[in-house]
Amino acid sequence: MHPYLITAKPGWFRRTATGVRVWTLRLLALLVMAVLGTVVLTVRFARPIVNYTATRLIFLELWAAQRLGRPPVSGFIGAGITDGFVDEFHRARAHATTNA
């Protein structure tokens, strides 16, 4: 190993390239965080609207099913999906590891 390699200062081009790389990554990270924050905020604001719309559509389907004399389809599908989520949630809780 040559001793001048230890004390050699990088040239202006390499220092500039390093600075550009560092700031580009910082800006990219900031952009990713801003986009993810926007998506999360949008989903959080849309959740009450989706819940309200779903409730109104369920009531509309129940009304139509009552008029036609047929069972509501979304009730069967929704119950199955809910049961699947509950089973998965309990399975995940049972197999979760603790950091204690």
Side-chain angles (χ1 to χ4, degrees):
M1 179 175 208
H2 299 289
Y4 66 87
L5 289 177
I6 296 171
T7 59
K9 185 177 179 182
W12 68 270
F13 182 78
R14 177 167 267 173
R15 286 193 314 260
T16 304
T18 301
V20 168
R21 186 188 79 226
V22 167
W23 281 102
T24 302
L25 286 175
R26 287 179 181 173
L27 289 174
L28 183 63
L30 182 65
L31 179 67
V32 167
M33 289 181 354
V35 167
L36 287 176
T38 303
V39 169
V40 168
L41 195 62
T42 304
V43 168
R44 283 185 174 257
F45 279 144
R47 183 179 293 164
I49 297 167
V50 170
N51 287 344
Y52 176 78
T53 306
T55 304
R56 292 292 133 206
L57 289 175
I58 288 170
F59 283 132
L60 180 64
E61 185 195 12
L62 288 173
W63 174 82
Q66 196 175 34
R67 296 285 179 247
L68 293 174
R70 299 192 178 188
V73 177
S74 68
F76 299 129
I77 295 171
I81 291 173
T82 302
D83 291 340
F85 279 131
V86 168
D87 292 342
E88 184 66 31
F89 175 73
H90 288 302
R91 190 177 316 123
R93 277 187 59 198
H95 299 305
T97 59
T98 59
N99 292 332

